[in-house]
Amino acid sequence: MPVIAPMPAARPTRLPSQREGSDEAMAAGTTVDHLTETYRAHYRSLLGLAALLLDDTASCEDVVQEAFIRVHSARKRVRDPEKTLAYLRQTVVNLSRSALRRRILGLKLLSKPMPDMASAEEGAYEQLERDQLIKAMRGLQRRQREVLVLRYFADMTEAQVAETLGISLGSVKAYGSRGIAALRVAMEAPA
């Protein structure tokens, strides 16, 4: 945003004479008519300035329009109407910089993959392994499958598995080791 002089301190109001009226109007800031004429005369050059800083036409047009809006809203603080174009140029540059900063920040945020996110190839490979594991699990004996599911997928201890299935701790260990051996053979076999 351009640096704009602060508003002068409030003075007692008095009615100006006709001759003083033009001086008072100039001291009050840039008029809407002057800003409109500046807009008409310099829109394309300001658009070209924005185009040097930004890459797409829509963003350039947005920046130039926003610059005119901002200078229009602060026109009473632009003491010298001859500097209106300079204020507009500086505002276009500042708004273009801001737009570029937002884009760069957006690209930085978007370019980082999610930390736990697998690529599509990894996801497909994992899905194939899961399908192969499920198929191998279905090929196990019922007790072996129950022990492995409770032990490794439900994350139970061997004692909890024994209590849940109503079998001894030794049986849980035996079914578990035979089940893992059978899974290893099934997973290594060509599909």
Side-chain angles (χ1 to χ4, degrees):
M1 216 158 130
V3 176
I4 299 176
M7 292 192 64
R11 292 186 229 151
T13 58
R14 67 180 180 94
L15 296 173
S17 65
Q18 274 194 337
R19 193 182 66 126
E20 292 175 331
S22 63
D23 293 336
E24 289 282 330
M26 292 300 272
T30 303
T31 63
V32 174
D33 291 337
H34 178 70
L35 190 59
T36 304
E37 288 304 314
T38 305
Y39 175 81
R40 287 185 184 139
H42 298 284
Y43 177 77
R44 291 218 179 264
S45 67
L46 291 170
L47 199 59
L49 175 63
L52 292 173
L53 300 169
L54 300 171
D55 55 352
D56 64 304
T57 306
S59 294
C60 296
E61 291 172 348
D62 290 344
V63 162
V64 172
Q65 290 295 322
E66 181 66 24
F68 275 105
I69 290 168
R70 289 188 182 193
V71 172
H72 180 272
S73 66
R75 71 184 180 282
K76 294 199 185 307
R77 291 184 279 169
V78 180
R79 291 186 178 160
D80 186 2
E82 298 302 316
K83 293 185 178 177
T84 303
L85 182 58
Y87 281 108
L88 283 168
R89 285 184 182 138
Q90 188 61 49
T91 305
V92 166
V93 169
N94 290 342
L95 290 172
S96 297
R97 287 178 183 157
S98 295
L100 287 174
R101 272 189 228 110
R102 282 190 303 274
R103 284 185 191 173
I104 290 169
L105 181 62
L107 290 174
K108 284 181 181 177
L109 293 175
L110 288 177
S111 65
K112 292 182 181 176
M114 298 300 286
D116 294 337
M117 181 188 268
S119 69
E121 293 150 349
E122 289 174 8
Y125 184 70
E126 287 174 4
Q127 182 64 41
L128 287 173
E129 282 185 332
R130 258 192 311 270
D131 291 345
Q132 188 180 7
L133 178 63
I134 291 170
K135 184 178 176 184
M137 289 289 287
R138 288 185 181 143
L140 295 177
Q141 296 176 2
R142 182 180 58 90
R143 275 292 184 201
Q144 290 174 347
R145 185 173 52 245
E146 290 171 347
V147 168
L148 291 179
V149 167
L150 293 175
R151 179 75 178 102
Y152 296 103
F153 293 103
D155 203 26
M156 291 183 174
T157 64
E158 290 175 338
Q160 291 171 327
V161 173
E163 185 180 332
T164 302
L165 294 177
I167 57 176
S168 69
L169 188 58
S171 296
V172 169
K173 290 180 181 184
Y175 285 126
S177 68
R178 288 186 203 126
I180 289 175
L183 279 179
R184 209 173 268 132
V185 169
M187 296 291 285
E188 290 174 0

